[in-house]
Amino acid sequence: IRIGGRDIRLGVEICEDLWDDDYPISVTADLARAEVDFIVNLSASPYHEGRRDDRAALIRRKVNETSIPFYYCNLVGAQDELIFDGNSLVVDANGHIRAYGRAFEEDLVLVETEGTDSVLLPEIDRDLDLVDALVCGIRDYFRKTGHREAVIGLSGGIDSSLVAALAVRALAPDQVHGVAMPSEYSSEHSLTDARLLAENLGIDYREIPIAGLFRTYLDALADAFAGTRPGVAEENIQARIRGNVLMSLSNKFGWLVLTTGNKTELALGYCTLYGDMSGGLAVISDLSKADVYALSRAINRSAGRDLIPVSCLTKPPSAELAPGQVDPFDYQIVSPLVDAIVEDHKSVTALIRSGYDPALVRDIYRRIRNNEYKRRQAAPGLRVSPKAFGLGRRVPIVNQFDGEYHE
């Protein structure tokens, strides 16, 4: 091409051409042999934690090998579960970063190609970066599907609180509706926390009690359940009533239901089909339980006040489907264990060798394997990790492989 009276040999790459270490052909090396003056990579590289710095390191390595300036232009926005973070880069022939584009926002960057000034990439606040990624994913999902308003079941717990806070950032307070659906087992502090959250966020809040509906279900099933002890079936009726209430509001007003389950729960199957899994978008399905707490604290920190009530962060998590119920997991142990299995592909043997309790490892592995059928029926979820459930991780439902000796 001819620019400013000069003939320029422009080398063009498309996205994956940059990530060629395991490929028999290196487009970058081929362009270097063709003696191009600079390389432009037009990319749609999905986001996950640490992705910006991985790209920058790879581009600088390519420049150091070729001494050819590199212009990396990445997509911004989201499509279904994928989030594209922008973070475009310009690296000169000496491997110095000359300019960069904003994260999660469209940007126009002008660069003097003959200059020598270099810049440093800004430090990333890991938790707020994840917040921005999810906000981008929500905003684009709504914009591209034509939805305007969201509805969320508010339990007074940490997961629904985080989803509501993210939705307000992505949309606007008047586009988010929070619905508390207390049953006879709901604690007063759960309702208090739900109301306070809604007040802090400035969103529409309403309460729709389900105790009467639950009793009607039990009456209708009394003969069928005769001679059995109350258990999971009765507990899940409540979750399914709540799912039906939210879907009814969605059908009536066109609100999109945001589900509130996290990755740890989805991995373990600690969620109810046609209950809390009902909805159109699973906002935090790729966040571990540990990350749910971390991002909630980050939102409060960035706001300079407790948008998410402190008690949501400190009380024991509970589905409140039975008297005195609390979640049956120590998330401080189980959450990183799930990540090690799902994201790092650690085998049972390797995890036991690293110090985990053998019975716990086998139990968690079994739960993850046995609950694939639930994940197949989950709402699409926003991806922020290297390995998310959904299109990024499919295994056969009937798979009986236990991972015992797989390294």
Side-chain angles (χ1 to χ4, degrees), residues 251-271:
N251 289 161
K252 178 62 71 174
F253 302 113
W255 301 341
L256 184 70
V257 179
L258 302 183
T259 69
T260 60
N262 61 65
K263 190 174 189 175
T264 306
E265 294 170 341
L266 199 59
L268 302 175
Y270 193 60
C271 45

PDB file of all heavy atoms in Angstrom, residues 251-271:
ATOM      1  N   ASN A 251     -42.396 -13.468  31.417  1.00  0.00           N
ATOM      2  CA  ASN A 251     -43.379 -13.581  30.345  1.00  0.00           C
ATOM      3  C   ASN A 251     -44.317 -12.388  30.301  1.00  0.00           C
ATOM      4  O   ASN A 251     -44.701 -11.913  29.228  1.00  0.00           O
ATOM      5  CB  ASN A 251     -44.205 -14.858  30.523  1.00  0.00           C
ATOM      6  CG  ASN A 251     -43.425 -16.122  30.243  1.00  0.00           C
ATOM      7  OD1 ASN A 251     -43.804 -17.184  30.662  1.00  0.00           O
ATOM      8  ND2 ASN A 251     -42.306 -16.014  29.539  1.00  0.00           N
ATOM      9  N   LYS A 252     -44.696 -11.885  31.461  1.00  0.00           N
ATOM     10  CA  LYS A 252     -45.663 -10.795  31.525  1.00  0.00           C
ATOM     11  C   LYS A 252     -45.060  -9.467  31.075  1.00  0.00           C
ATOM     12  O   LYS A 252     -45.685  -8.694  30.339  1.00  0.00           O
ATOM     13  CB  LYS A 252     -46.207 -10.665  32.953  1.00  0.00           C
ATOM     14  CG  LYS A 252     -47.196  -9.511  33.165  1.00  0.00           C
ATOM     15  CD  LYS A 252     -48.459  -9.668  32.306  1.00  0.00           C
ATOM     16  CE  LYS A 252     -49.336 -10.801  32.793  1.00  0.00           C
ATOM     17  NZ  LYS A 252     -50.618 -10.836  32.031  1.00  0.00           N
ATOM     18  N   PHE A 253     -43.835  -9.186  31.527  1.00  0.00           N
ATOM     19  CA  PHE A 253     -43.259  -7.860  31.308  1.00  0.00           C
ATOM     20  C   PHE A 253     -42.055  -7.834  30.356  1.00  0.00           C
ATOM     21  O   PHE A 253     -41.520  -6.764  30.064  1.00  0.00           O
ATOM     22  CB  PHE A 253     -42.844  -7.245  32.649  1.00  0.00           C
ATOM     23  CG  PHE A 253     -43.980  -7.126  33.630  1.00  0.00           C
ATOM     24  CD1 PHE A 253     -43.996  -7.885  34.790  1.00  0.00           C
ATOM     25  CD2 PHE A 253     -45.045  -6.272  33.380  1.00  0.00           C
ATOM     26  CE1 PHE A 253     -45.043  -7.783  35.696  1.00  0.00           C
ATOM     27  CE2 PHE A 253     -46.097  -6.161  34.274  1.00  0.00           C
ATOM     28  CZ  PHE A 253     -46.098  -6.924  35.441  1.00  0.00           C
ATOM     29  N   GLY A 254     -41.628  -9.001  29.886  1.00  0.00           N
ATOM     30  CA  GLY A 254     -40.488  -9.034  28.974  1.00  0.00           C
ATOM     31  C   GLY A 254     -39.146  -8.884  29.664  1.00  0.00           C
ATOM     32  O   GLY A 254     -38.133  -8.627  29.007  1.00  0.00           O
ATOM     33  N   TRP A 255     -39.118  -9.048  30.971  1.00  0.00           N
ATOM     34  CA  TRP A 255     -37.856  -8.951  31.707  1.00  0.00           C
ATOM     35  C   TRP A 255     -37.055 -10.235  31.505  1.00  0.00           C
ATOM     36  O   TRP A 255     -37.611 -11.336  31.508  1.00  0.00           O
ATOM     37  CB  TRP A 255     -38.107  -8.768  33.202  1.00  0.00           C
ATOM     38  CG  TRP A 255     -38.913  -7.559  33.561  1.00  0.00           C
ATOM     39  CD1 TRP A 255     -39.133  -6.448  32.797  1.00  0.00           C
ATOM     40  CD2 TRP A 255     -39.634  -7.355  34.784  1.00  0.00           C
ATOM     41  NE1 TRP A 255     -39.932  -5.550  33.464  1.00  0.00           N
ATOM     42  CE2 TRP A 255     -40.254  -6.078  34.700  1.00  0.00           C
ATOM     43  CE3 TRP A 255     -39.814  -8.100  35.945  1.00  0.00           C
ATOM     44  CZ2 TRP A 255     -41.028  -5.562  35.729  1.00  0.00           C
ATOM     45  CZ3 TRP A 255     -40.587  -7.589  36.971  1.00  0.00           C
ATOM     46  CH2 TRP A 255     -41.188  -6.327  36.866  1.00  0.00           C
ATOM     47  N   LEU A 256     -35.745 -10.101  31.364  1.00  0.00           N
ATOM     48  CA  LEU A 256     -34.880 -11.266  31.237  1.00  0.00           C
ATOM     49  C   LEU A 256     -34.454 -11.725  32.632  1.00  0.00           C
ATOM     50  O   LEU A 256     -33.942 -10.931  33.428  1.00  0.00           O
ATOM     51  CB  LEU A 256     -33.641 -10.932  30.403  1.00  0.00           C
ATOM     52  CG  LEU A 256     -32.702 -12.112  30.115  1.00  0.00           C
ATOM     53  CD1 LEU A 256     -33.357 -13.077  29.140  1.00  0.00           C
ATOM     54  CD2 LEU A 256     -31.370 -11.621  29.557  1.00  0.00           C
ATOM     55  N   VAL A 257     -34.674 -12.997  32.930  1.00  0.00           N
ATOM     56  CA  VAL A 257     -34.288 -13.534  34.238  1.00  0.00           C
ATOM     57  C   VAL A 257     -32.788 -13.821  34.252  1.00  0.00           C
ATOM     58  O   VAL A 257     -32.267 -14.527  33.380  1.00  0.00           O
ATOM     59  CB  VAL A 257     -35.062 -14.824  34.558  1.00  0.00           C
ATOM     60  CG1 VAL A 257     -34.617 -15.379  35.914  1.00  0.00           C
ATOM     61  CG2 VAL A 257     -36.561 -14.575  34.546  1.00  0.00           C
ATOM     62  N   LEU A 258     -32.100 -13.254  35.237  1.00  0.00           N
ATOM     63  CA  LEU A 258     -30.683 -13.538  35.440  1.00  0.00           C
ATOM     64  C   LEU A 258     -30.551 -14.586  36.535  1.00  0.00           C
ATOM     65  O   LEU A 258     -31.017 -14.390  37.662  1.00  0.00           O
ATOM     66  CB  LEU A 258     -29.924 -12.269  35.843  1.00  0.00           C
ATOM     67  CG  LEU A 258     -29.995 -11.096  34.854  1.00  0.00           C
ATOM     68  CD1 LEU A 258     -29.149  -9.933  35.352  1.00  0.00           C
ATOM     69  CD2 LEU A 258     -29.549 -11.529  33.463  1.00  0.00           C
ATOM     70  N   THR A 259     -29.945 -15.721  36.212  1.00  0.00           N
ATOM     71  CA  THR A 259     -29.738 -16.740  37.229  1.00  0.00           C
ATOM     72  C   THR A 259     -28.550 -16.347  38.103  1.00  0.00           C
ATOM     73  O   THR A 259     -27.701 -15.538  37.709  1.00  0.00           O
ATOM     74  CB  THR A 259     -29.495 -18.124  36.613  1.00  0.00           C
ATOM     75  OG1 THR A 259     -28.231 -18.138  35.952  1.00  0.00           O
ATOM     76  CG2 THR A 259     -30.590 -18.474  35.623  1.00  0.00           C
ATOM     77  N   THR A 260     -28.484 -16.936  39.289  1.00  0.00           N
ATOM     78  CA  THR A 260     -27.520 -16.462  40.285  1.00  0.00           C
ATOM     79  C   THR A 260     -26.567 -17.547  40.783  1.00  0.00           C
ATOM     80  O   THR A 260     -25.848 -17.335  41.757  1.00  0.00           O
ATOM     81  CB  THR A 260     -28.263 -15.861  41.494  1.00  0.00           C
ATOM     82  OG1 THR A 260     -29.094 -16.858  42.087  1.00  0.00           O
ATOM     83  CG2 THR A 260     -29.125 -14.677  41.066  1.00  0.00           C
ATOM     84  N   GLY A 261     -26.548 -18.702  40.120  1.00  0.00           N
ATOM     85  CA  GLY A 261     -25.654 -19.768  40.555  1.00  0.00           C
ATOM     86  C   GLY A 261     -24.218 -19.520  40.124  1.00  0.00           C
ATOM     87  O   GLY A 261     -23.952 -19.012  39.037  1.00  0.00           O
ATOM     88  N   ASN A 262     -23.271 -19.894  40.982  1.00  0.00           N
ATOM     89  CA  ASN A 262     -21.847 -19.717  40.657  1.00  0.00           C
ATOM     90  C   ASN A 262     -21.243 -21.022  40.131  1.00  0.00           C
ATOM     91  O   ASN A 262     -21.895 -22.071  40.110  1.00  0.00           O
ATOM     92  CB  ASN A 262     -21.091 -19.199  41.885  1.00  0.00           C
ATOM     93  CG  ASN A 262     -21.145 -20.157  43.053  1.00  0.00           C
ATOM     94  OD1 ASN A 262     -20.622 -21.270  43.005  1.00  0.00           O
ATOM     95  ND2 ASN A 262     -21.790 -19.730  44.136  1.00  0.00           N
ATOM     96  N   LYS A 263     -19.997 -20.956  39.718  1.00  0.00           N
ATOM     97  CA  LYS A 263     -19.330 -22.099  39.085  1.00  0.00           C
ATOM     98  C   LYS A 263     -19.155 -23.272  40.042  1.00  0.00           C
ATOM     99  O   LYS A 263     -19.291 -24.436  39.639  1.00  0.00           O
ATOM    100  CB  LYS A 263     -17.973 -21.657  38.541  1.00  0.00           C
ATOM    101  CG  LYS A 263     -17.276 -22.687  37.660  1.00  0.00           C
ATOM    102  CD  LYS A 263     -16.013 -22.095  37.064  1.00  0.00           C
ATOM    103  CE  LYS A 263     -15.399 -22.981  36.005  1.00  0.00           C
ATOM    104  NZ  LYS A 263     -14.227 -22.320  35.358  1.00  0.00           N
ATOM    105  N   THR A 264     -18.835 -22.971  41.294  1.00  0.00           N
ATOM    106  CA  THR A 264     -18.654 -24.045  42.270  1.00  0.00           C
ATOM    107  C   THR A 264     -19.951 -24.826  42.443  1.00  0.00           C
ATOM    108  O   THR A 264     -19.953 -26.064  42.450  1.00  0.00           O
ATOM    109  CB  THR A 264     -18.196 -23.468  43.618  1.00  0.00           C
ATOM    110  OG1 THR A 264     -17.028 -22.654  43.422  1.00  0.00           O
ATOM    111  CG2 THR A 264     -17.857 -24.580  44.599  1.00  0.00           C
ATOM    112  N   GLU A 265     -21.068 -24.114  42.586  1.00  0.00           N
ATOM    113  CA  GLU A 265     -22.364 -24.775  42.732  1.00  0.00           C
ATOM    114  C   GLU A 265     -22.727 -25.557  41.477  1.00  0.00           C
ATOM    115  O   GLU A 265     -23.226 -26.687  41.554  1.00  0.00           O
ATOM    116  CB  GLU A 265     -23.445 -23.738  43.023  1.00  0.00           C
ATOM    117  CG  GLU A 265     -23.295 -23.049  44.365  1.00  0.00           C
ATOM    118  CD  GLU A 265     -24.229 -21.865  44.528  1.00  0.00           C
ATOM    119  OE1 GLU A 265     -24.736 -21.358  43.514  1.00  0.00           O
ATOM    120  OE2 GLU A 265     -24.432 -21.447  45.687  1.00  0.00           O
ATOM    121  N   LEU A 266     -22.499 -24.974  40.320  1.00  0.00           N
ATOM    122  CA  LEU A 266     -22.839 -25.632  39.064  1.00  0.00           C
ATOM    123  C   LEU A 266     -22.003 -26.891  38.876  1.00  0.00           C
ATOM    124  O   LEU A 266     -22.485 -27.910  38.371  1.00  0.00           O
ATOM    125  CB  LEU A 266     -22.610 -24.663  37.899  1.00  0.00           C
ATOM    126  CG  LEU A 266     -23.309 -24.965  36.573  1.00  0.00           C
ATOM    127  CD1 LEU A 266     -24.818 -25.025  36.757  1.00  0.00           C
ATOM    128  CD2 LEU A 266     -22.938 -23.920  35.533  1.00  0.00           C
ATOM    129  N   ALA A 267     -20.746 -26.838  39.284  1.00  0.00           N
ATOM    130  CA  ALA A 267     -19.876 -28.008  39.187  1.00  0.00           C
ATOM    131  C   ALA A 267     -20.388 -29.149  40.051  1.00  0.00           C
ATOM    132  O   ALA A 267     -20.414 -30.316  39.636  1.00  0.00           O
ATOM    133  CB  ALA A 267     -18.455 -27.641  39.598  1.00  0.00           C
ATOM    134  N   LEU A 268     -20.814 -28.814  41.265  1.00  0.00           N
ATOM    135  CA  LEU A 268     -21.223 -29.827  42.239  1.00  0.00           C
ATOM    136  C   LEU A 268     -22.682 -30.249  42.082  1.00  0.00           C
ATOM    137  O   LEU A 268     -23.132 -31.175  42.758  1.00  0.00           O
ATOM    138  CB  LEU A 268     -20.999 -29.294  43.651  1.00  0.00           C
ATOM    139  CG  LEU A 268     -19.557 -28.879  43.991  1.00  0.00           C
ATOM    140  CD1 LEU A 268     -19.504 -28.259  45.378  1.00  0.00           C
ATOM    141  CD2 LEU A 268     -18.618 -30.066  43.888  1.00  0.00           C
ATOM    142  N   GLY A 269     -23.419 -29.559  41.221  1.00  0.00           N
ATOM    143  CA  GLY A 269     -24.834 -29.860  41.074  1.00  0.00           C
ATOM    144  C   GLY A 269     -25.667 -29.327  42.214  1.00  0.00           C
ATOM    145  O   GLY A 269     -26.806 -29.760  42.421  1.00  0.00           O
ATOM    146  N   TYR A 270     -25.106 -28.363  42.962  1.00  0.00           N
ATOM    147  CA  TYR A 270     -25.830 -27.784  44.091  1.00  0.00           C
ATOM    148  C   TYR A 270     -26.722 -26.657  43.568  1.00  0.00           C
ATOM    149  O   TYR A 270     -26.511 -25.472  43.833  1.00  0.00           O
ATOM    150  CB  TYR A 270     -24.848 -27.281  45.143  1.00  0.00           C
ATOM    151  CG  TYR A 270     -25.496 -26.958  46.484  1.00  0.00           C
ATOM    152  CD1 TYR A 270     -26.161 -27.947  47.191  1.00  0.00           C
ATOM    153  CD2 TYR A 270     -25.438 -25.685  47.016  1.00  0.00           C
ATOM    154  CE1 TYR A 270     -26.761 -27.664  48.402  1.00  0.00           C
ATOM    155  CE2 TYR A 270     -26.036 -25.389  48.235  1.00  0.00           C
ATOM    156  CZ  TYR A 270     -26.698 -26.387  48.923  1.00  0.00           C
ATOM    157  OH  TYR A 270     -27.290 -26.104  50.125  1.00  0.00           O
ATOM    158  N   CYS A 271     -27.691 -27.060  42.775  1.00  0.00           N
ATOM    159  CA  CYS A 271     -28.618 -26.144  42.113  1.00  0.00           C
ATOM    160  C   CYS A 271     -29.815 -26.982  41.682  1.00  0.00           C
ATOM    161  O   CYS A 271     -29.711 -28.206  41.564  1.00  0.00           O
ATOM    162  CB  CYS A 271     -27.963 -25.451  40.922  1.00  0.00           C
ATOM    163  SG  CYS A 271     -27.011 -26.556  39.842  1.00  0.00           S
TER     164      CYS A 271
END
